[in-house]
Amino acid sequence: MNEHTPQAGPALDKLSPDRPSSALAALPGVDRLMTVDPALDLVAIHGRTCVLNAVRTVLDTCRDILTSNPDRAIAEEDIYQRIDRQVADDLAHSLKPVINLTGTVIHTNLGRSPLPESAIDAMAAAARQPVNLEYDLVAGKRGDRDSHLEDRICRLTGAEAATVVNNNAAAVLLVLNSLANRRGVPVSRGELVEIGGSFRLPDIMRRAGARLIEVGTTNRTHLKDFESVMADRPALVLKAHTSNYAVVGFTASVAEQALAELCHSHGIPFCIDLGSGTVVDLQKFGLPHEPTVQEAFSNGADLVTFSGDKLLGGPQAGIVAGRRDLVERIKRNPMRRALRLDKVTIAALDAVLTLYQTPERLAETVPSLRNLARPVPEIEETAKAVATALASAAPSSVRVETAPCFSQIGSGALPTEALPSMAVRLTVEGGKKASGSRLRALSAAFRALPVPVIGRIGEGAFWLDMRCLDDPDSLLEQLVRLDWSEAT
Ligand SMILES: *Cc1c(COP(=O)(O)O)cnc(C)c1O
């Protein structure tokens, strides 16, 4: 029987011969545990394989505990509980909802943009049943998966043509590989960006087969620097939006119009990696201005690449939009097949782009924009309600109060702009060292909630920025489960 496969056997080699443990010898075996409750009940619900694996894991853990603590005993009741928990753990999904109170609105590590309800419905529908992904319903024959998105992107941005891939890094890779394989591409030294560690423009360029021609200096690049490399006959000029940093002080960069003119006078395309890629003026939402895709085109860009899940507020995707002849060349690249979107993402992006046809309502319909545009008095109201509830749940050694703070847009948009917001601030007693470890314990306790709450530690406090707390009840109803013990 399965129970007698080697992995099920007692880990005798872990038993040191000079310290025999009677508790270890007394541990029930797999066979016995499988024939009593709760295993029997669990088998009825989840099937034998799953429960057997959990029993083996629990027995391994128990053996480890008893081997390193020979004086301990583990009650059979305790083993049953462990089996129960192990089955639940094994069946729990690894990816789970969390509450983002970090103050970073579009947080890459927390999945960037939460999607609009219409997009979620569209994703579920596309996941549940067959869809006309690559099927032309009128002609009754094979269609094109870009067809669901291309027209909408063009209408929104003013581009002639567009294609969509897995993310913006893929979009940049595909553009460069399609248009600049084995050829030079000048980029200003001030724009050789690294985003989140894994996207480094020089590395992506190398992988795409393009040869980086560095232009200018870190802080200053002039048009004449670009003019001087034109003799190299570059394939295109790439401008990267310096999305997660700002070069300040004695600086100079070349205006997009001037670069576009230079490129066009040499008959080469001007491409802009915009990164965040907003298609509406954020000033309409009371936010600082971020360059839009439309502006890039009116400044003379031939191609623009941008993310679907940053300021657009959609699913992870990379959009390439611009001149038809260039997009056609990109579409013919076999590499595009390896970077293409799946039907569920297409469904989501289709739904999000549809919302942009009613721009007046974007601050209600697109959650990322809603969070960014939320008025401070509204955030403050949430902060007060949460602070009151937290204060009554907290032990006397934890101080809870509301405090002004600053949120960030995140994902590299407007890196130097801070959005005034309101937080619940928790402070603990003790000197710097003791309070530091208590704050970390507090932060861990919030992360251990059924729906983990992610805040941030800074300035001697644990901060919960209320900007993105759409539904305060999701936090409040968990408070009884919060374990304050390590923080007091
Ligand atoms: C974010 C960003 C990228 C990478 O986009 P992903 O969608 O995360 O792959 C590339 N370039 C710039 C300028 C960016 O801001």
Side-chain angles (χ1 to χ4, degrees):
M1 281 175 73
N2 289 346
E3 289 93 301
H4 298 293
T5 54
Q7 78 180 105
L12 287 173
D13 50 340
K14 288 184 194 154
L15 227 186
S16 75
D18 49 351
R19 287 201 300 172
S21 156
S22 57
L24 191 58
L27 265 185
V30 172
D31 285 341
R32 169 160 160 70
L33 287 173
M34 287 299 287
T35 55
V36 291
D37 283 341
L40 281 182
D41 281 350
L42 290 168
V43 167
I45 302 166
H46 304 294
R48 190 179 155 73
T49 309
C50 162
V51 179
L52 187 58
N53 285 334
V55 166
R56 284 174 177 155
T57 307
V58 167
L59 280 177
D60 280 347
T61 309
C62 291
R63 279 186 207 107
D64 286 347
I65 292 170
L66 296 175
T67 307
S68 50
N69 307 285
D71 302 330
R72 253 188 83 167
I74 300 178
E76 202 143 308
E77 186 56 33
D78 184 13
I79 298 177
Y80 296 156
Q81 277 174 15
R82 284 170 185 268
I83 292 171
D84 220 28
R85 280 201 304 265
Q86 188 65 45
V87 169
D89 269 8
D90 288 350
L91 293 175
H93 295 172
S94 171
L95 191 69
K96 52 186 165 191
V98 302
I99 299 177
N100 173 16
L101 304 186
T102 60
T104 300
V105 178
I106 303 176
H107 198 304
T108 297
N109 303 144
L110 302 181
R112 292 194 184 157
S113 295
L115 294 178
E117 287 304 321
S118 62
I120 295 165
D121 292 345
M123 291 171 89
R128 192 173 290 120
Q129 62 203 64
V131 286
N132 59 335
L133 179 64
E134 291 180 354
Y135 188 77
D136 183 331
L137 288 170
V138 176
K141 60 181 184 88
R142 189 195 170 97
D144 172 18
R145 67 174 69 200
D146 268 348
S147 67
H148 306 285
L149 305 170
E150 186 166 9
D151 283 352
R152 289 198 205 285
I153 294 168
C154 291
R155 216 179 319 157
L156 204 57
T157 62
E160 286 173 7
T163 185
V164 188
V165 287
N166 198 27
N167 52 32
N168 187 40
V172 175
L173 180 75
L174 186 63
V175 166
L176 290 168
N177 182 261
S178 307
L179 306 180
N181 194 14
R182 295 185 205 173
R183 296 182 59 191
V185 174
V187 184
S188 163
R189 285 198 169 90
E191 294 172 3
L192 292 173
V193 295
E194 170 180 309
I195 284 131
S198 52
F199 179 95
R200 284 180 149 191
L201 193 54
D203 296 343
I204 294 273
M205 292 183 70
R206 198 172 311 120
R207 290 291 170 158
R211 178 170 51 86
L212 169 63
I213 303 174
E214 295 187 36
V215 176
T217 63
T218 306
N219 58 327
R220 290 173 73 83
T221 301
H222 305 280
L223 186 61
K224 64 176 190 290
D225 298 324
F226 278 99
E227 280 167 349
S228 69
V229 299
M230 286 297 151
D232 250 10
R233 304 187 57 78
L236 54 90
V237 167
L238 180 64
K239 183 175 174 69
H241 185 43
T242 55
S243 37
N244 49 4
Y245 65 101
V247 182
V248 295
F250 184 57
T251 64
S253 59
V254 186
E256 288 176 1
Q257 292 100 323
L259 262 184
E261 252 174 57
L262 178 70
C263 287
H264 298 156
S265 72
H266 286 81
I268 61 172
F270 176 44
C271 304
I272 301 181
D273 174 23
L274 210 46
S276 292
T278 172
V279 293
V280 290
D281 183 359
L282 292 183
Q283 282 171 308
K284 290 204 184 94
F285 307 110
L287 295 165
H289 181 75
E290 164 88 7
T292 64
V293 179
Q294 294 89 330
E295 282 163 11
F297 287 132
S298 70
N299 289 342
D302 299 291
L303 279 180
V304 178
T305 55
F306 59 101
S307 290
D309 56 354
K310 292 183 179 173
L311 284 171
L312 192 70
Q316 181 187 303
I319 297 162
V320 183
R323 245 169 59 194
R324 181 177 310 281
D325 59 323
L326 300 175
V327 172
E328 289 309 321
R329 276 168 70 190
I330 289 164
K331 286 186 179 186
R332 284 195 298 270
N333 186 340
M335 195 186 263
R336 176 165 160 265
R337 172 67 171 74
L339 304 172
R340 74 182 183 183
L341 285 187
D342 76 304
K343 61 181 176 179
V344 177
T345 307
I346 290 175
L349 194 52
D350 184 16
V352 170
L353 291 171
T354 310
L355 295 175
Y356 276 84
Q357 291 173 15
T358 312
E360 301 82 3
R361 293 195 52 208
L362 285 172
E364 300 149 56
T365 54
V366 175
S368 290
L369 295 176
R370 187 165 72 222
N371 287 337
L372 288 170
R374 180 162 289 156
V376 176
E378 194 183 312
I379 305 172
E380 185 169 12
E381 205 173 299
T382 307
K384 280 184 179 154
V386 172
T388 305
L390 262 177
S392 62
S396 58
S397 60
V398 177
R399 190 162 141 189
V400 183
E401 59 208 330
T402 61
C405 67
F406 287 99
S407 319
Q408 293 183 349
I409 296 183
S411 280
L414 302 165
T416 55
E417 302 279 355
L419 310 176
S421 183
M422 283 301 283
V424 173
R425 179 173 66 191
L426 292 92
T427 41
V428 296
E429 290 169 353
K432 203 168 174 189
K433 198 159 170 217
S435 74
S437 77
R438 288 195 190 119
L439 288 176
R440 285 193 296 279
L442 200 54
S443 168
F446 275 90
R447 292 197 309 272
L449 288 169
V451 183
V453 174
I454 322 286
R456 82 186 151 80
I457 293 172
E459 299 153 65
F462 179 56
W463 298 78
L464 300 169
D465 185 330
M466 293 293 137
R467 174 179 291 278
C468 299
L469 188 61
D470 236 351
D471 169 23
D473 285 344
S474 64
L475 171 58
L476 298 182
E477 65 202 15
Q478 300 194 82
L479 287 186
V480 290
R481 311 270 301 259
L482 194 69
D483 177 5
W484 299 89
S485 58
E486 302 286 321
T488 55

